[in-house]
């Protein structure tokens, strides 16, 4: 039996390409597909049409048929040990999981960790992610970490550095947006000041300019007391982009 793991994708738009008999995901990922899958599809297509070579050929949303809450262990047989799928807490979105191979100390962290790429946090829980969730990811003490983008981190020092780099990006946003929010500033002001803060260190990373407006709106909402991220639509995307990047 072949299977596909949904580590963080909301819509599972690409899962159909694997032809898997079973798709495993966290229960919150399934909920997100049902809640906002089609809106997310339209949003992603509007933001990055280059990623959709033949959009008309995509058969639609792909739903998981195996879901779990906290942890599931899959014996791989022989010398391969087991594959452990685990939910470390809310982060990049509500349903992120990691895939852990304890015998080989390899961790597939998905978009919970980016080795050298800007974070997209439009569906994120910034406060949870930057604290307890990344603490749990770090507690695996992996020797190899495969993140959402860029190079694989090899060696404990580089693994920990990738995790802390991700945390640093989040904490930088939280610090600056929180400061502007407390002082009665505007979202545009928070964007400009956060851009100034982060650009010297992270501005050369892939998709930095693309992600930051959506990151700012999501984090601003969280400071406003919103616990569950807004549903993005192509229209909402354009509104935020025009407000912050133009």
């Amino acid at each position: 039996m072949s299977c596909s793991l949904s580590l963080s994708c909301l819509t599972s738009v690409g899962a159909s390409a694997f032809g898997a008999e079973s798709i495993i995901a966290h229960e919150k990922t399934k909920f997100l597909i049902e809640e906002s899958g089609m809106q997310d599809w339209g949003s992603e297509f509007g933001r990055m049409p280059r990623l959709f070579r033949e959009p008309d050929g995509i058969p639609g949303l792909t739903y998981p048929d195996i879901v779990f809450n906290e942890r599931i262990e899959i014996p791989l047989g022989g010398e391969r040990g087991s594959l452990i799928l685990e939910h470390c807490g809310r982060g990049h979105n509500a349903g992120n999981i990691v895939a852990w191979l304890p015998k080989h100390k390899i961790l597939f962290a998905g978009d919970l960790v980016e080795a050298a790429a800007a974070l997209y946090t439009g569906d994120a829980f910034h406060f949870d992610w930057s604290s307890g969730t990344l603490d749990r990811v770090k507690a695996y003490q992996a020797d190899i970490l495969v993140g959402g983008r860029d190079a694989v981190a090899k060696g404990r020092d580089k693994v920990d550095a990738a995790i802390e780099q991700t945390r640093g990006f989040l904490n930088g946003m939280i610090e600056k947006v929180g400061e502007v929010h407390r002082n009665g500033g505007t979202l545009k002001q928070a964007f400009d000041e956060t851009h100034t803060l982060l650009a010297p260190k992270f501005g050369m990373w892939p998709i930095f300019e693309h992600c930051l407006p959506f990151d700012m709106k999501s984090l601003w909402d969280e400071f406003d007391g919103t616990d569950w991220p807004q549903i993005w639509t192509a229209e909402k995307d354009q509104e935020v982009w025009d407000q912050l990047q133009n």
Side-chain angles (χ1 to χ4, degrees):
M1 180 183 76
S2 60
C3 70
S4 173
L5 308 178
S6 179
L7 296 184
S8 62
C9 181
L10 296 189
T11 60
S12 293
V13 168
S16 60
F18 291 94
E21 295 176 29
S22 292
I23 296 175
I24 305 172
H26 189 266
E27 61 184 12
K28 288 297 185 183
T29 295
K30 181 176 184 293
F31 173 82
L32 287 165
I33 295 171
E34 295 167 345
E35 179 196 51
S36 57
M38 288 308 301
Q39 295 97 321
D40 188 62
W41 196 103
S43 171
E44 287 298 317
F45 182 61
R47 292 180 191 180
M48 294 187 173
R50 68 182 184 276
L51 300 181
F52 296 76
R53 183 176 298 173
E54 296 179 4
D56 293 337
I58 298 173
L61 304 178
T62 305
Y63 293 83
D65 58 307
I66 300 173
V67 297
F68 67 98
N69 182 279
E70 292 297 331
R71 184 179 188 273
I72 186 171
E73 183 170 348
I74 303 171
L76 300 178
E79 295 297 316
R80 294 178 296 177
S82 293
L83 172 65
I84 295 173
L85 309 179
E86 197 156 17
H87 186 247
C88 292
R90 304 191 304 182
H92 174 75
N93 62 53
N96 293 120
I97 63 173
V98 300
W100 171 233
L101 293 164
K103 186 176 179 63
H104 306 287
K105 304 201 75 173
I106 300 173
L107 184 69
F108 293 84
D111 287 331
L112 285 173
V113 178
E114 307 284 9
L119 303 184
Y120 173 71
T121 72
D123 305 296
F125 300 83
H126 301 78
F127 307 134
D128 291 2
W129 186 2
S130 62
S131 54
T133 299
L134 282 180
D135 288 345
R136 288 189 63 182
V137 172
K138 195 171 185 178
Y140 285 99
Q141 299 185 338
D143 288 336
I144 297 175
L145 185 145
V146 184
R149 295 182 183 88
D150 212 72
V152 174
K154 298 180 179 180
R156 282 289 307 284
D157 289 346
K158 290 185 178 180
V159 168
D160 288 350
I163 294 169
E164 292 307 320
Q165 187 171 260
T166 299
R167 197 194 309 267
F169 192 102
L170 289 166
N171 283 340
M173 291 197 302
I174 291 169
E175 176 185 351
K176 184 53 66 177
V177 173
E179 177 184 315
V180 174
H181 193 274
R182 287 189 299 273
N183 291 334
T186 65
L187 174 59
K188 173 61 173 170
Q189 181 184 351
F191 172 81
D192 290 341
E193 293 191 18
T194 304
H195 189 286
T196 299
L197 175 69
L198 296 182
K201 183 174 182 179
F202 304 114
M204 72 294 299
W205 285 6
I207 66 174
F208 176 80
E209 295 290 347
H210 172 84
C211 289
L212 200 61
F214 309 112
D215 296 353
M216 291 296 96
K217 180 63 171 75
S218 178
L219 180 53
W220 188 266
D221 288 348
E222 202 165 355
F223 272 107
D224 274 343
T226 300
D227 181 65
W228 192 260
Q230 66 179 308
I231 296 175
W232 290 100
T233 64
E235 294 76 19
K236 187 67 175 178
D237 284 359
Q238 193 62 54
E239 177 187 330
V240 170
W241 187 267
D242 289 344
Q243 181 183 1
L244 300 183
Q245 279 287 37
N246 290 339

